[in-house]
Amino acid sequence: MASEFQETKKDDAPSGVSYVADHNKTMSVRKSRHLSMKNEPERRVSKKYAEEQAKAGPSAPPPAKKDRKSARSTSLIIAKAEDMRQRQIMLYEAGKDPEDRDYHTSAHSQPLEELMKSQNTKLGNDGPACKDGAAGIEIAEVEELAKVSGKNKITPPKKENIWLRLFRQIFTGIFNVLLWGTVGVEVFLIYTGNSNDIVTPIILASVVVAAGLLQWWTELKAESLMDALSGMQASAAVPTVRRSKNTRKDMMVEAEDLLPGDIVFLKAGDRIPADVRILACTDGMEVDNAALTGESIPEPRDPASAEKGSPPSQARNLAFYGTTVVKGNATAMVFFIGDKTFLGKIAASIKSARSKSTLEIQIEHFVHFIAGIAVIVGILSLAVKVAQKAALADIIQYTACALFSQVPEGLLPTVTISLMFASAEMVKRKVLVRKIDAVETLGCVSVFCSDKTGTLTKGEMTTQDLVVVKTTPQAIGREGLEVVVREHGHWPKSAASVCDTISVCGILNNGAELKKDSDGADFWSGSPTEVAILRASSEVQGGPEAAQLLRSRPENAKIFEIPFNSENKWMLTIHGQPSSGKVTAILKGAPDRVLKFCAIDPASQAKVEGEMQKLMNDARRVLAIAKREITSPPAKFEGTGPEDCNFSLKDFDFIGLYGIEDPPKEGVAEAVIKANNAGVKVVMVTGDHPDTARAIAKRINILPKAPHVHGDHADFNVIAGTQLECRVPKADNFTDDEPEENVIWWKKAVTHARVFARVSPIHKQVIVQAYQKYGYHGIGDICAMTGDGVNDAPALKQAEVGVAMGIRGTEVAKDAADIVLQDDDFSSIINGIEQGRLCSSNLRKSIMYTLCSKVPQFAPTLAMVFGVPEALTIAQVLLIDIGTDIWTAIAYAFQPAESRLMARAPRHPKLVKLADWGVGVYSYCYIGMLQCFFCWLMFFLTPGIWDLFMQGEDPKHYSKEQELTNTKGKTMYYWTLMMGQIAAAISTTTERQSLMSYCFPNMALNAAFLFEVVLGLAAIYIAFMQNAFDTAAVPVQYIAMAVSSLVVISVIEELRKALFRYLEANSMCHWCLDNDDERDVSSDSEGDYSSSSYGSSSEDESDAVDHKKPLLC
């Protein structure tokens, strides 16, 4: 290799940047950067910036940070890149052919000669360096090559006019059309003088416009991704070499004019202008791939060819478009430009449309359901009016009223306010909702896949056990060892004397330190294991101050160290003053390695190994420590191991064992039981060893503590990542064409598995896909997944609910997730599931309530065919729908939970819609019919109405007295319907629980009741409202009689609930038995340890299927 590519000279490096040859020092410098994606522009990699910093001095302000929108766009690009990278690795490992949308190249594995030939380019006289002689592509071929390859630019997506898009969001869609139709009818009524209510159409129009604006804004946000991608494209001219008839031509080529085969020269600070193969580079060259990976530590590059069949995303001889050189120089060959680059493939995938959420699909289903009913009702009303030979204006008016009286005008604001209120409540529980409709989906989750570290556990290594000798090391075989256990976070008082030696050695033989941050707060710095030992030893000695004092003593001064490495698996430190003629050597590391250096008899070693095995069975990581006195020490200690040390590494005295673990968080075990009792299967997905994962899973109730499982239960309890290698889907996701063997295996896995151990990020996505395909008896589970790293982003996006960690999580993970746990606590998300269920339940109740009045509202129109006098006017229908019902429906958003909300199985949106046939039966055929009965009863009890009906006279020929009689009848029908709606609201307040125990805790709903009564009485007794809504004053006793309908309907509903609570409790309900057999989620036959293992009652199990029964049950 040419001399230019030997060690980088100081003058070659950017000003202000120095490179350290010492490996350990280099790594410490890297780790101290703490760079994040938020401040991507702050990376001081360009020479120009470094020079400006040097001139400005240390007080110069840093560059401005990206705003949140830009940071989020960058994070989503990284998430998409990680998705593509993981798919690429999966394809290569499975030996599958990539598709057009995949990033595929063999440039990294081809020999240079073969690669040059395929690109029709040439190396220089000095080989890969290309610093001498003709090199690159032939200039005469550039024009033709440019026509074929195009520009080195990412093709932007076609953009719809934003104002046309806004118009589409506001005025299209069946629900919007129905609502705008309602507005139109109300405006028509105002125009014709039949109504003077201008507030209602304004409010209703505002609701539709606001919903459209929200959707419009959401879609516009996606375009910021393409803007961010454009910002990553190189724009500066690139040093390039081309050839003309074997003559070298050095030139500066604009980045967008680069072509495949071009040979370019890169230096520190340059943005890589295309996807390139590194031909030659300085030792230690590094590139910053943070724009694609989110990793702040630069990655090394090497020109050596990669192994054939390896994924290009992992190749160190490739550098990708949009990334940056941070160290060293390189000669590189362009092999992909523009849309064919890795960045271009990301851009193409981002252009795809956003998928609909579970809630959006259910609302759309409900809208179509209501639209069908509304159209049928409208056609019937039209037929009635035509049969009556009514005037054209009356036909339009009544038909439109009948049609739009079926439209639940309050649905959109109810959904929005319910979700907003639920989001606010979840924030109080440390759960931040990023995508508001994820609240409802969270309530439907049936499988929760959770990381172990930091979510189920504390995320920090902690020394839980100290195993020490009782008297002397020589007496271990006879006396055994003493185990001191940390209890409730504290060491027993006896630890100070019993564990003095092991704690002193743990403080001295330790690379961790206690430091202060910028705010002056203390924090432990070092490897997690070292910190765990130092913290525990300091606690035993009396605190951090005592540990620092111990280290500062002259006799404890560290004079020599052999650091830990993966080969030795131990570290050694020597302390003391050599001039005193005696020093102390302390050895700490893997027990099997440390014991080899100890003077220990077989019996004692057996005792030590026995205690060590006990700790390991409890998922502890075990380290041993020993020491010896060195007399007559050498003037200078030297060596790296037993072979070359100038002092003896024999006859150490065994001191003890450290039992270290990442302990479960407080409350997690209880939260798992709560989830299990709610029908939510908790699955641990971790990269830890299966034995470690199994032990922790037992302690937090994910696995049963007693090993009573057998057969498939035992085989599939804990699944290792190696078992998944041959089970990945043939395509991006599982299809119906998967091998039968894999299908059978996965069905057993999603049924019985509770722990997936030693899994990779790719496996996480496959696990989620398997639950979505084969879970819930083949219907597919609604899956939630936690994650914190960049490589978790694909799995977070795959799950119906992605949950990112707020403390440990990267910005990429947070932006890919639907929900962020602000305290990284599993218990919080279980509380969030409860809030999600409450939100879903309240939406369902609101829909049931709203639909109850639709039958009695349409019945008068149909009854007029049989000569029944008009019982309800258009104005009165609208007064009920918009004057009162809409506010009551919205009040359901504030409804507290029923007592057994978390004792039921989750509602599966494919089985039980927010508005299914059960809701229709309840609202139309049950409560609606009861309302209808009482409305007609009070209508015909009104004096003179029955006579008016029997006379059969045309309403056009009514006398003033007959008109007044009819008006009083309409007033009673309206008032009774209003009482019936209050009864409907009371009835739908709970699904199972008695009002005697639930009472009336929703103050917003209580206020809505009061408002309905006041508005109804005002419409009856205030003159101007009488004229507007065609009502008349009626005697108070008739008003009181109508209130009886409220009482009777409420009592009937209470009796219904009591009857079915009794049937459920005695297993006599046909629906309970059928659905329990169908679901069987909590049964032992599936190996679920939820209800059966943790003592939940049979009542819990019977109620666990409530959401699968029709509401009449």
Side-chain angles (χ1 to χ4, degrees):
M1 188 176 292
S3 60
E4 288 88 348
F5 293 101
Q6 301 307 314
E7 184 66 32
T8 306
K9 297 178 182 179
K10 184 176 181 180
D11 294 336
D12 294 334
S15 176
V17 181
S18 62
Y19 301 121
V20 185
D22 182 79
H23 175 72
N24 292 330
K25 189 172 180 182
T26 302
M27 291 304 297
S28 66
V29 169
R30 290 178 184 172
K31 290 178 180 178
S32 67
R33 295 185 182 185
H34 298 295
L35 300 173
S36 69
M37 287 310 304
K38 283 186 176 180
N39 54 7
E40 181 70 22
E42 294 184 42
R43 295 171 185 255
R44 304 176 182 179
V45 295
S46 70
K47 187 171 183 178
K48 178 180 177 183
Y49 179 72
E51 290 172 348
E52 290 174 354
Q53 285 294 107
K55 293 177 182 177
S59 61
K65 290 186 177 180
K66 287 184 180 178
D67 57 26
R68 175 64 186 158
K69 178 179 176 182
S70 178
R72 181 176 183 274
S73 299
T74 303
S75 295
L76 291 179
I77 292 168
I78 296 169
K80 181 59 67 175
E82 184 63 28
D83 193 7
M84 292 181 63
R85 186 179 293 107
Q86 290 188 16
R87 171 180 162 77
Q88 183 183 94
I89 295 170
M90 182 189 72
L91 289 173
Y92 275 82
E93 288 179 348
K96 299 175 182 176
D97 294 330
E99 300 174 11
D100 289 341
R101 61 192 175 90
D102 294 313
Y103 183 79
H104 174 66
T105 181
S106 59
H108 60 301
S109 58
Q110 284 183 289
L112 280 184
E113 295 77 11
E114 184 180 328
L115 181 62
M116 294 294 111
K117 186 176 180 180
S118 68
Q119 296 291 335
N120 199 23
T121 189
K122 182 181 176 184
L123 296 176
N125 294 336
D126 53 352
C130 296
K131 296 287 186 177
D132 180 55
I137 59 177
E138 177 63 50
I139 293 178
E141 298 174 359
V142 166
E143 184 176 350
E144 189 65 27
L145 188 57
K147 289 179 182 179
V148 175
S149 303
K151 290 285 187 181
N152 183 26
K153 294 176 66 176
I154 294 174
T155 305
K158 294 181 180 178
K159 292 185 179 181
E160 181 184 10
N161 182 280
I162 60 173
W163 305 115
L164 182 62
R165 182 185 301 177
L166 177 60
F167 179 87
R168 175 170 56 82
Q169 293 292 351
I170 294 176
F171 294 102
T172 61
I174 187 169
F175 197 44
N176 282 358
V177 169
L178 290 175
L179 289 175
W180 281 119
T182 306
V183 173
V185 168
E186 293 181 28
V187 172
F188 175 76
L189 292 175
I190 295 170
Y191 179 76
T192 57
N194 292 309
S195 174
N196 59 1
D197 180 14
I198 62 173
V199 175
T200 298
I202 291 174
I203 292 175
L204 194 54
S206 299
V207 168
V208 182
V209 171
L213 282 169
L214 179 62
Q215 182 65 26
W216 177 66
W217 177 74
T218 301
E219 290 189 5
L220 284 181
K221 287 196 298 182
E223 293 185 355
S224 66
L225 291 175
M226 297 310 301
D227 296 336
L229 284 168
S230 299
M232 291 172 65
Q233 300 180 50
S235 56
V238 184
T240 308
V241 60
R242 290 175 177 172
R243 56 191 167 88
S244 177
K245 297 179 180 179
N246 292 324
T247 303
R248 179 185 181 88
K249 298 290 184 182
D250 288 296
M251 58 185 67
M252 298 296 290
V253 178
E254 294 297 327
E256 67 177 40
D257 294 328
L258 287 174
L259 297 168
D262 263 329
I263 292 178
V264 297
F265 302 100
L266 304 172
K267 64 180 184 303
D270 286 347
R271 178 164 286 179
I272 295 169
D275 284 5
V276 299
R277 162 75 183 264
I278 306 295
L279 303 178
C281 65
T282 55
D283 293 338
M285 178 197 173
E286 293 178 344
V287 293
D288 181 0
N289 280 340
L292 297 179
T293 65
E295 296 296 335
S296 60
I297 298 178
E299 298 179 11
R301 283 296 173 260
D302 189 315
S305 294
E307 181 182 349
K308 284 189 177 182
S310 60
S313 60
Q314 295 182 330
R316 291 195 170 187
N317 61 359
L318 299 185
F320 301 105
Y321 192 13
T323 59
T324 308
V325 181
V326 294
K327 177 183 176 183
N329 305 323
T331 298
M333 188 206 71
V334 175
F335 63 89
F336 278 158
I337 63 172
D339 292 334
K340 291 186 177 181
T341 62
F342 193 43
L343 196 62
K345 293 291 184 180
I346 294 171
S349 64
I350 287 175
K351 296 173 190 174
S352 59
R354 180 184 68 93
S355 59
K356 292 182 179 178
S357 68
T358 303
L359 181 60
E360 286 175 314
I361 293 171
Q362 291 187 82
I363 292 297
E364 185 176 317
H365 169 270
F366 174 65
V367 166
H368 290 156
F369 171 73
I370 290 299
I373 293 177
V375 170
I376 292 171
V377 168
I379 292 173
L380 289 174
S381 179
L382 175 65
V384 169
K385 284 301 176 182
V386 170
Q388 290 179 330
K389 298 180 180 179
L392 181 61
D394 287 342
I395 292 176
I396 295 174
Q397 194 173 25
Y398 274 87
T399 301
C401 178
L403 178 70
F404 297 117
S405 67
Q406 301 301 312
V407 178
E409 299 89 347
L411 179 63
L412 284 179
T414 300
V415 170
T416 303
I417 292 174
S418 293
L419 294 176
M420 290 175 63
F421 178 74
S423 298
E425 288 297 308
M426 290 172 78
V427 169
K428 296 178 183 177
R429 303 180 186 209
K430 303 298 183 183
V431 180
L432 178 64
V433 179
R434 294 190 60 258
K435 299 174 185 175
I436 194 168
D437 51 4
V439 173
E440 190 272 341
T441 308
L442 185 61
C444 300
V445 165
S446 55
V447 170
F448 196 101
C449 298
S450 176
D451 273 342
K452 179 183 76 69
T453 305
T455 307
L456 300 173
T457 61
K458 292 182 178 180
E460 61 179 30
M461 300 302 289
T462 304
T463 302
Q464 294 289 99
D465 312 271
L466 295 174
V467 180
V468 297
V469 297
K470 291 185 176 179
T471 54
T472 65
Q474 292 72 29
I476 293 176
R478 184 177 64 259
E479 299 176 351
L481 296 161
E482 184 170 349
V483 181
V484 180
V485 181
R486 182 195 296 268
E487 296 179 356
H488 307 295
H490 301 285
W491 295 105
K493 293 182 179 178
S494 61
S497 57
V498 175
C499 303
D500 180 69
T501 302
I502 195 173
S503 61
V504 169
C505 290
I507 291 171
L508 299 181
N509 182 277
N510 204 300
E513 296 180 64
L514 184 68
K515 296 183 178 180
K516 292 186 179 293
D517 60 18
S518 57
D519 297 326
D522 292 335
F523 73 96
W524 299 97
S525 173
S527 73
T529 303
E530 293 285 80
V531 167
I533 293 174
L534 180 58
R535 184 191 292 117
S537 300
S538 300
E539 290 169 357
V540 170
Q541 287 295 320
E545 294 79 9
Q548 289 179 325
L549 180 62
L550 192 68
R551 282 182 168 181
S552 65
R553 291 175 182 169
E555 64 270 21
N556 293 331
K558 184 165 65 176
I559 57 176
F560 180 72
E561 178 179 7
I562 300 177
F564 177 89
N565 62 63
S566 57
E567 184 178 348
N568 288 340
K569 294 188 177 179
W570 50 260
M571 69 175 291
L572 178 137
T573 56
I574 298 178
H575 305 265
Q577 300 292 330
S579 58
S580 66
K582 184 176 70 172
V583 294
T584 303
I586 303 175
L587 181 70
K588 181 184 73 196
D592 58 326
R593 301 297 180 91
V594 171
L595 288 173
K596 290 180 180 179
F597 299 107
C598 293
I600 188 169
D601 60 82
S604 298
Q605 183 162 340
K607 293 281 187 181
V608 172
E609 290 174 348
E611 292 296 338
M612 181 177 69
Q613 191 59 48
K614 290 179 183 178
L615 293 176
M616 292 173 66
N617 291 341
D618 288 334
R620 304 290 200 266
R621 181 184 180 188
V622 183
L623 292 182
I625 194 163
K627 74 171 185 175
R628 63 164 292 208
E629 302 294 332
I630 300 177
T631 57
S632 302
K636 182 181 180 181
F637 286 93
E638 295 178 343
T640 59
E643 300 81 10
D644 61 353
C645 283
N646 62 347
F647 56 94
S648 175
L649 284 178
K650 296 180 180 180
D651 298 330
F652 276 80
D653 290 330
F654 178 80
I655 300 299
L657 302 172
Y658 299 99
I660 305 169
E661 70 164 355
D662 179 10
K665 286 183 177 178
E666 293 181 8
V668 167
E670 293 78 8
V672 171
I673 293 177
K674 184 177 180 180
N676 288 330
N677 289 337
V680 179
K681 186 187 300 182
V682 180
V683 179
M684 179 191 292
V685 182
T686 178
D688 279 351
H689 190 278
D691 291 342
T692 303
R694 188 192 303 272
I696 294 293
K698 287 181 179 180
R699 289 171 62 186
I700 59 178
N701 299 321
I702 289 178
L703 285 175
K705 294 180 174 63
H708 64 274
V709 296
H710 53 83
D712 286 340
H713 300 267
D715 294 340
F716 286 88
N717 264 185
V718 180
I719 296 177
T722 52
Q723 296 175 258
L724 304 180
E725 297 295 346
C726 58
R727 309 291 183 183
V728 296
K730 295 169 65 177
D732 273 357
N733 207 330
F734 289 97
T735 66
D736 294 335
D737 298 327
E738 300 296 327
E740 184 65 22
E741 180 187 357
N742 284 3
V743 172
I744 294 172
W745 190 90
W746 274 116
K747 285 182 177 180
K748 291 181 179 180
V750 299
T751 300
H752 304 299
R754 292 300 177 272
V755 175
F756 290 89
R758 280 282 191 256
V759 298
S760 69
I762 300 173
H763 294 147
K764 285 187 177 183
Q765 188 174 9
V766 172
I767 290 167
V768 173
Q769 291 170 341
Y771 277 109
Q772 292 171 334
K773 176 69 175 177
Y774 302 114
Y776 217 91
H777 302 286
I779 298 170
D781 279 300
I782 304 301
C783 196
M785 167 64 83
T786 66
D788 54 16
V790 172
N791 51 16
D792 291 330
L796 292 175
K797 294 178 77 67
Q798 179 69 43
E800 280 85 358
V801 181
V803 183
M805 302 296 106
I807 299 173
R808 295 182 299 110
T810 62
E811 287 301 312
V812 177
K814 293 175 187 177
D815 284 325
D818 306 288
I819 287 172
V820 177
L821 284 184
Q822 293 179 308
D823 57 359
D824 291 9
D825 194 340
F826 178 79
S827 305
S828 298
I829 197 63
I830 299 302
N831 293 333
I833 288 177
E834 182 176 5
Q835 193 64 45
R837 287 193 181 186
L838 176 60
C839 175
S840 178
S841 175
N842 288 345
L843 282 174
R844 189 175 170 90
K845 291 175 182 178
S846 176
I847 291 171
M848 286 193 299
Y849 162 77
T850 303
L851 297 182
C852 284
S853 65
K854 301 310 176 185
V855 172
Q857 284 180 354
F858 172 64
T861 302
L862 192 62
M864 290 173 71
V865 175
F866 305 100
V868 177
E870 184 181 26
L872 196 66
T873 67
I874 298 171
Q876 289 167 354
V877 168
L878 294 175
L879 181 62
I880 292 171
D881 280 357
I882 300 176
T884 57
D885 278 7
I886 190 171
W887 310 114
T888 306
I890 291 173
Y892 275 95
F894 307 99
Q895 194 75 11
E898 296 180 52
S899 60
R900 296 179 59 78
L901 180 68
M902 289 296 283
R904 301 171 182 167
R907 179 183 63 82
H908 198 296
K910 290 183 180 179
L911 292 176
V912 183
K913 311 291 185 191
L914 272 175
D916 59 359
W917 70 271
V919 170
V921 169
Y922 183 92
S923 298
Y924 289 121
C925 303
Y926 172 46
I927 298 294
M929 285 301 182
L930 287 175
Q931 289 179 342
C932 213
F933 169 78
F934 283 105
C935 285
W936 285 121
L937 178 65
M938 298 309 301
F939 178 75
F940 283 109
L941 286 178
T942 304
I945 287 294
W946 183 256
D947 294 336
L948 196 61
F949 168 58
M950 295 303 295
Q951 291 170 6
E953 193 170 346
D954 190 332
K956 294 180 181 177
H957 303 129
Y958 282 172
S959 65
K960 289 187 177 180
E961 183 179 351
Q962 288 174 319
E963 286 182 355
L964 179 61
T965 298
N966 191 18
T967 301
K968 288 184 177 180
K970 289 186 283 188
T971 302
M972 286 306 300
Y973 193 101
Y974 159 75
W975 174 251
T976 306
L977 179 54
M978 183 169 288
M979 292 297 101
Q981 275 298 88
I982 294 178
I986 293 173
S987 299
T988 55
T989 294
T990 64
E991 293 182 17
R992 289 289 180 276
Q993 191 174 348
S994 171
L995 281 177
M996 302 299 291
S997 60
Y998 187 78
C999 296
F1000 296 88
N1002 187 350
M1003 291 298 107
L1005 191 61
N1006 297 339
F1009 292 160
L1010 181 61
F1011 175 71
E1012 286 192 44
V1013 172
V1014 171
L1015 183 63
L1017 292 175
I1020 295 172
Y1021 293 108
I1022 296 178
F1024 81 89
M1025 294 190 71
Q1026 290 175 343
N1027 295 330
F1029 297 105
D1030 198 10
T1031 58
V1034 294
V1036 174
Q1037 60 267 31
Y1038 285 93
I1039 296 292
M1041 286 173 59
V1043 174
S1044 64
S1045 65
L1046 185 161
V1047 177
V1048 174
I1049 292 175
S1050 300
V1051 170
I1052 291 173
E1053 175 63 5
E1054 277 294 293
L1055 291 175
R1056 182 194 72 84
K1057 292 175 182 176
L1059 172 63
F1060 285 104
R1061 284 197 303 272
Y1062 172 78
L1063 293 177
E1064 287 174 10
N1066 292 276
S1067 300
M1068 297 168 62
C1069 175
H1070 168 74
W1071 285 103
C1072 293
L1073 297 176
D1074 283 353
N1075 283 300
D1076 191 48
D1077 291 339
E1078 178 186 353
R1079 175 176 174 269
D1080 201 24
V1081 170
S1082 302
S1083 67
D1084 282 336
S1085 64
E1086 288 196 357
D1088 193 339
Y1089 314 108
S1090 54
S1091 301
S1092 58
S1093 295
Y1094 306 120
S1096 68
S1097 66
S1098 60
E1099 187 180 358
D1100 286 338
E1101 294 177 20
S1102 66
D1103 200 26
V1105 292
D1106 278 348
H1107 278 92
K1108 295 190 68 177
K1109 306 170 201 167
L1111 287 165
L1112 278 174
C1113 177

